[in-house]
Amino acid sequence: MTTQPTTPILSTRELRKSFLGVTAVNGATFDVPRNLITALIGPNGAGKTTVVSLISGQIKADSGQVTIDGADVSGWPAHRISQQGLMRTFQLSRELGGMTVLENLMVSARRQTGENLVNVFLRPGAVKKEEAALAARALEILNRYGLYHLRDSRAQALSGGQKKLLEISRAVIADPKILLLDEPMAGVNPALIEKIGEYIIDLRDGGMSILMIEHNLGIVEKICDNVVVLAEGRTLATGKMSELRENEDVVRAYLGEVINADNGR
Amino acid sequence: SAGTKPAPLVVGAMFPFTGAKAILSTWGTHGVAAGVYAVNAAGGVLGHQLTYTYADDAADPADALPAFRQLMLHHPTFLVGPFSPTIESVINQFVPNNVVDFMVGGLSTLDNNTNPNWFRTSSSDSNEATAMAYFAISHGWKTAVMLFDNSANSQGFVPPLMAAYKALGGTIQSNQVINPGASSYTSTLTSAFQNNPAVVFDSMDSATAATLFHDAQQLGYMNRPWIGDDLQSSSQGPYAAAFGPTVTTNLYAALPATPSGAGYNTFLKDYALRFGKKTTVWPTTYNEYDSIVIASLAMTMANSTNPKVWVKDVTKVSNPPGTACTNYPQCVALLKKHVKINYQGAAGNDDFNKYHNVFSGFQFLGFNSALNTHQVAFVTPAQLAATVAKESKKG
Amino acid sequence: MHLFWIDFGTGLATAAVVALAATGLTLQFGITNYINFAYGDFMGLGALLTFALNNQAFHLNFWIAAPIAAILVGVFAVIANQLLLAPFARRFSNPALTMIVTFGLSLFMANVATVIWTGNTLFFRMPISVDKKVGPFLWSPDVMIVMGFAVLVMVMIHLLLKTTRLGKMMRALSDNTSLALTSGIDVRQITNVTWFMSGLLAGLGGIALAVEEANLTVTSAESYLFVIFAAVILGGIGSVYGAMLGALAIGLLTETAPLYINAGYKLDVGFFIVIVLLLFRPQGLVPRLGRS
Amino acid sequence: MSAFFLFFMTMVFYVIVFWIASLGLDLVWSRTGIPLFAYYLYVAVGAYLTGLFSLPHVPLQNGVGNLFGFNLPGLLALPLAAVVTGLFAMFVGAVFMRRLRTDYLAVVMVAVALVIWDFSQNDITLVSGNTGLTNIPLPLAGVLHININQWTYLYTGVAFVWALALWWIMKTVSNSPTGRVFRAIRDDSVVAATIGKNVYRYQILSMGIGGFYAAIAGGFLAQLATSWNPSSWAPFEVFNVFTMVIVGGVGSNLGMLVGAALLQVLFIQGPTYVASNYLHSPTFETLAAAAIGVLMWLSLWFRPQGAVPERLKSTAWYLGREPALQETINPDLTVEERA
Amino acid sequence: MPTMVADNISSGYGKNLIIRNISLEVDAKKVTTIVGPNGAGKSTFAKTVVGLLKAQTGSIVVNGDDLTKVPAYKIPGRGLAYVPQVQNVFVSMTVQENLEIGGFVTKGNTHDRMEEILATFKDLEKARHKRAGFLSGGQQNMLAIARALMVNPSVIVLDEPTAGLSPAYTNVVWEEIGRIAESGTAVLVVEQNVERAIVHSDYVHVFVAGQNHVHGTKEEIAQLDLASIFLGRSEATKS
Ligand SMILES: Nc1ncnc2c1ncn2[C@@H]1O[C@H](COP(=O)(O)OP(=O)(O)OP(=O)(O)O)[C@@H](O)[C@H]1O
Ligand SMILES: Nc1ncnc2c1ncn2[C@@H]1O[C@H](COP(=O)(O)OP(=O)(O)OP(=O)(O)O)[C@@H](O)[C@H]1O
Ligand SMILES: [Mg+2]
Ligand SMILES: [Mg+2]
């Protein structure tokens, strides 16, 4: 939080998406400030995961606009958005099960000379050197996230919590400008939650901007600089967690009573 | 030297034993076995007995070459087969590997063959097609539809049949390519028969024919003559069985050569001796039988079992001029007396032209209610030649 | 116009055959979530067993032999599932591998059937039926029986799935296998029932196909398999009603197409439509909620 | 003796050809996760194009002919055909990979192969329908003035050199970062896209390489048999190649050689020989074909990793040595044993 | 006598054992909770109890009825119901059909029971003819629990019923759990959130690395330094 953010790193405008007649996202509009941790909270089925998938391009929006670092990326395919400097993790971990943990990280790195076949055959030396350097960097990250001893196991053999960590380290190695985390703490034991919280703060201090979905309000309060509340696919409120606890709309939609089953969905 | 018998001579036979065309191997093996039986019963060739060995080409060109190499392991002096689908993938092997081949099958692309070691003992489909056209016109059937499946064999009929039919003054109203194995041909038939043709020419595999005939019955199209190729010629065969009630008046099948006469009777006798009286005489068996007799006679005449030597005598024993002979021992006896012979085989005169093709006449068969065949007409080689001459005048 | 209606009638007859088979295929897919490439051979087995009972072994009347044969195919399908497919599906979560296993089953069945029945064209012993004009259509009594029967089967399947306990259990299983197990559904038994029905319908479809084709060979149903697939995919794989709809569409399209294009390509019309449809609507006509 | 050697060489030739074919399928199917049931289509396209490139133009007459022909030397026609087939495969990939989910893709791929097979049988204007291409020239035979038997030896050698080169290329590709991206797509294509890989482009690339390999195999088959027609490539023959891949070991380049040899010798050529020479009955052969299905089941069940299993790439493999880094034991992350 | 007794259970996937020699008891009218770090084997234990995994050693007895060798699909009929953590409803079927399926294990008419349950779960009553796939995550969890209750089980096993639920729903679900226990059912809950578990349950088991590390009443457990038990990584499962 050294430089005062000028333009938001990420912003969405009037995002809309429905599945088979069910509206999941209905005009979500919010900004993610630069170099801060922003939480995206809201009741189950509010459309949080869908919003993240719309931003990262896994799902095409019915309408609306997404801007990353000033560039309008609406309608771009997922890989191009990712190359723009955005990384995401998944609510239900999606590891590359048949590859080793080390390879899970290596494959995620950006701009590899060897990912072009021409270079593989014409510049084998350069590719080889780059690979060794990359492996070393991946090992460092694995060490930081406590996965070093698992480097040569197949990723599918990891436990639930380890897979969450793998998701985060796989995003980190790509050194994104903005990181989207979908419930990184869900199903993780309390001790690890603390730890992951610290890692996320470290990443922010290293210059990354973060948007994380989370139901654990304790941790949200602790580490997030900024909170966006989503309900029924719409942005309900934004602000600091402490302010939002006072906000009646937020209390009604999320913290207090259960929403009625007939409310639109 | 006394007491030791000369080594047997090997005949290699290459047929599809597996795959969709496996039925052809039944034909081929019966013909080869009958021929070998006939020659051995008469004391063999130059004192050698004949034995035979088979290889499976599965009617697949990619499998034909290994099959050929398998046969060569037995050092055959000549081969019988393969049928049309695979001949092109082995034909270039015969000269370098010093083996003579006798093929059975109508593939019209080989009508102008120049390979010295290749002979065809069955008449080309192009002749058969011409005969079918001639037969139809001679009955006054001047409008026709053509229903030929997409196999190489059937499609080989199409250009010569069209040319001949037109040259003789007929009109082809519709030429449909039949895609085998469909569940119905109703729509194909309805569009083909729109203009009420006088006659139908057809060739297809038996399963497809069963479906198509069934549909044609439903639509009432079986009330006119259908002229099929030699596949449809067997007594109680699947085509006749599927044709329906009008089979006795409306189904005709072309059959190359003249399975009648002395040569054919000799063949029938040998066939019955080898397989028993009741065995079906499969199509083309007389062609394979003739192939073996002709090769054996050529070896006898050349007094050599080396293909390089005797291949030159193949046409000499089978073509005129010469004393006609209709069975192997009789022909051998004449050759021993240094008489020039002209073998008249089971399939007819077996005279090879300069492209090593035989050019036989065709008979047309009809069926009785028990689905047995009887000859309805015969188209002579001379009539065919005249038709072809007319075509070139028109073209 | 006259020709069009005759072809349309044939299309309906074809649709009946395709619908029988397609329903069986899609039921099984719904439960097991992998495509059975041996389904064409199941169909063929139905026709071949009918042939065996009709012409070879007991010389039963065709209309008696056919249901017995179809039931035997059902039993065979259960055995094939128990001994081969279920163990593979349990062991390998990747359905593509089980798909390859069914490919192997197809190869196995086709070749063993060739050993038993040869590759020759076979005919049922049944009287030749004469065509009848029904409205603008031309149908033989055999084909009309097949069509009526197909409609009856479709209605029964609808009632089974929507109203009976067994049907609801099947739908539950198709939705989520392990949850069905812990909800007290005997998954193995329901899976077997499904395979039995799938086999039964395959057998019936194969027999109907042979009746329509007026003959059978060991591989004729196998080569028809992709027409069935086309119908199933068109309707959205795993969806029973979709399969019925798809069958109707494929039957009518392929049989009327030759009025406008070379008849040699009429089946390709079906494939072509499926390919184009999938490019624009990848989930089929009737998409299915649930497993994604 | 020479008959035996020629037979042996022909077998070797087939093993080499199917090694090449299974290398290509292995890349597309086992390493990129595309259920390419249309693989034999590319074998066929390669064969047809090799023929057309090396044949002269034969105008259609009496239902036989080829629409075009370039009279190129066979040695050149083969790689040229493979390149064109690779581009064709990429085109097919570009059309179908865009939207389809895996099981639809599998079926649609078979449908595409069947439609084109149907077309190749029905259409007589392009490549003579079921008659197909004939008299495809023997490369080099005319130049060196050798007969077809000597040529068989020579060309088996040529095929072997090709196979070695293709093996080395495949090895290099699969060990490269590009190969790693392929495997990521196989494991989870959504993840591959989120980490910035252009999944579609890599899938098409994989299809292109696979098409190239298939075409080389097809071209060799056509040149050896000097002919090619629709019965040379019933689309379901692809099952044999899948079995080679499974038996050899998915993802293993040397495994493909083992799989190809095993299937060709023990399950295809062997039974044919035994059936016709000793048993005089095709039943045995048919049962051997059925046994290929059984072989695949047994192999998948008892040795799913195949004869030569794929090796995981360890840290040491990447670094070229054991990692020097010692794990920092993070005191927060260790289990504290309590009594 | 406890309603359910699990004695000396060991189990795992394939050849490697994940949990070893675990014993625990669940009493009627009581909420018993299992907590523990990720990978400790909590879900594995739950799956073993309900027959999804085969117990390598030990026995499971419910109301004196030995269920150890009983196949999974017969277990609900014997009074032991299970609600998995994820994918716990039949998404393509309506709420009512989901409940009907829950009733299939009993022979008799389940209509009255369904009305009874729908009366308790007001949200579900309103969504009666909706397909379950269109419910929100929390409502789906609710439906799953309701379905398990259709047969009046003696024991109900809930695997992380509140994971990923919003705070509001989390409260609702815990209240419901309390009510279920009051009605006479023995409840076994697997839970991540230790604080919650301690508040709402009567008895707590702490699993660490596949073993029942400590257990006691909620008061006893509250005394322990749980953080240091939890802090740690589960051992890697190398294959
Ligand atoms: N692929 C899909 N098909 C159909 N409906 C979907 C799909 N994905 C999401 N939905 C629906 O969209 C709505 C929003 O879902 P989403 O997963 O975005 O919610 P969420 O806010 O992330 O909830 P949670 O906190 O439970 O993860 C839900 O009603 C859900 O059922
Ligand atoms: N299907 C499986 N195959 C092999 N190993 C598995 C499987 N499922 C879980 N495991 C392993 O078993 C161990 C225990 O898993 P389990 O799911 O029981 O943990 P848990 O205590 O429920 O953890 P969490 O709180 O993360 O859900 C883990 O190490 C995990 O890797
Ligand atoms: Mg979510
Ligand atoms: Mg768990």
Side-chain angles (χ1 to χ4, degrees), chain E residues 42-43 85 159-160 190 192:
Chain E
K42 305 182 293 294
S43 300
Q85 180 187 340
D159 193 355
E160 303 204 26
V190 173
Q192 284 290 347

